[in-house]
Amino acid sequence: MAVATGSAPVDQTAQDARQPPTRKRRWWRSKSAIAAYIFIAPYVVFFVVFRILPAIFGIGLSFGEYSLTGALTFVGLDHYARLFADPNFWGALWVTLKYAAIAMPMTVVLSLAIAQLCNRMMRGMAFYRSIFFLPAVTSPVLSGLIFVWIFSESGPINRLLSAVGLEPISWLQDSFWVLPALALVSAWMNFGYNMLILLAGMLAIPQEYYEAAAIDGANGWQRFWRITLPSLRPALFFVLVLETVKSFQTFDTIFVMTGGGPVRASYTLTFMLYDQGFGYFDFGYASAVGVVLLIIALVFSLIQRRLVGRDD
């Protein structure tokens, strides 16, 4: 009787199950992740060196007295106590809040309207989008100088008012009109960048939503209110936070156009920071103004996240 000398076939599935599982390569060690690190490294280094470290140094400087000789003396909370007792601070804070209350809604509404206008398939739309984006890459100083002429007594706005029988307005010399004029400049400078963000959000909305709404008889305004705006919440939240920070940090156009006047009607916290730091060389006190401004902007951003933003 012959004895089988060959071994019995082994179940491949059972053999694979008995073998220890191979350790998967972690995603952050993959070639694509390493390439991404290499590309973003210059920006990270630039951001840390020119943003994070100066911010940390500014916060520390607000607790000390710094002289031009380089000596730093710790004074604790003296700068903050002096700040909250300074009537100029409260006046600058009130001007800053008024300016932000005018500039931010104006910019967001204009950006949303232009984005909706550009969300069309028609010939030459890419050219129009480029034209609308031009103010975003224009120098703020140059924009300020242009609008000084536009708001002047012989400028085009006052000429238009005179043509329709209205009295010319001293836009930059009137305490009532100076902040709306500056807010209009801010809206003109910033709506192009916000338009691209909102337009990208609009293009990501599935067209099936609009087609179904049109079949149900919804008009254009109902489609915009019920579909576009809810779908734009993440992009709109980003734009709101961005414009809030910009409104609180506006300086260059105010410096060029009004210099904080008239009668400190445009004397914002950023202008006070510049005035104390580079006018009186009181760097510790100026840093305290900057820290308070940072906290205010952060609080408003958190409120907007609560109202508009969402976790997903």
Side-chain angles (χ1 to χ4, degrees), residues 80-115:
Y80 293 96
R82 172 186 167 193
L83 185 66
F84 294 132
D86 190 352
N88 291 329
F89 166 74
W90 295 108
L93 176 60
W94 176 240
V95 171
T96 303
L97 294 176
K98 287 195 299 183
Y99 174 79
I102 300 173
M104 185 181 61
M106 185 185 299
T107 306
V108 173
V109 170
L110 180 61
S111 304
L112 190 60
I114 299 299

Side-chain angles (χ1 to χ4, degrees), residues 39-161:
F39 279 107
I40 67 174
Y43 175 78
V44 172
V45 173
F46 182 88
F47 185 79
V48 170
V49 173
F50 294 99
R51 291 284 185 149
I52 301 298
L53 293 181
I56 296 175
F57 179 76
I59 294 174
L61 189 60
S62 67
F63 297 100
E65 192 70 41
Y66 183 81
S67 64
L68 294 178
T69 60
L72 181 61
T73 306
F74 181 74
V75 296
L77 298 175
D78 290 352
H79 289 313
Y80 293 96
R82 172 186 167 193
L83 185 66
F84 294 132
D86 190 352
N88 291 329
F89 166 74
W90 295 108
L93 176 60
W94 176 240
V95 171
T96 303
L97 294 176
K98 287 195 299 183
Y99 174 79
I102 300 173
M104 185 181 61
M106 185 185 299
T107 306
V108 173
V109 170
L110 180 61
S111 304
L112 190 60
I114 299 299
Q116 181 69 15
L117 182 64
C118 292
N119 188 22
R120 301 173 184 272
M121 298 299 295
M122 57 180 295
R123 180 177 298 180
M125 182 53 67
F127 172 76
Y128 295 130
R129 293 172 182 173
S130 302
I131 293 298
F132 287 139
F133 187 72
L134 278 180
V137 296
T138 305
S139 169
V141 176
L142 179 60
S143 301
L145 293 175
I146 293 174
F147 274 93
V148 167
W149 168 72
I150 292 176
F151 288 121
S152 64
E153 294 183 2
S154 58
I157 295 182
N158 279 331
R159 288 184 180 179
L160 180 61
L161 293 177

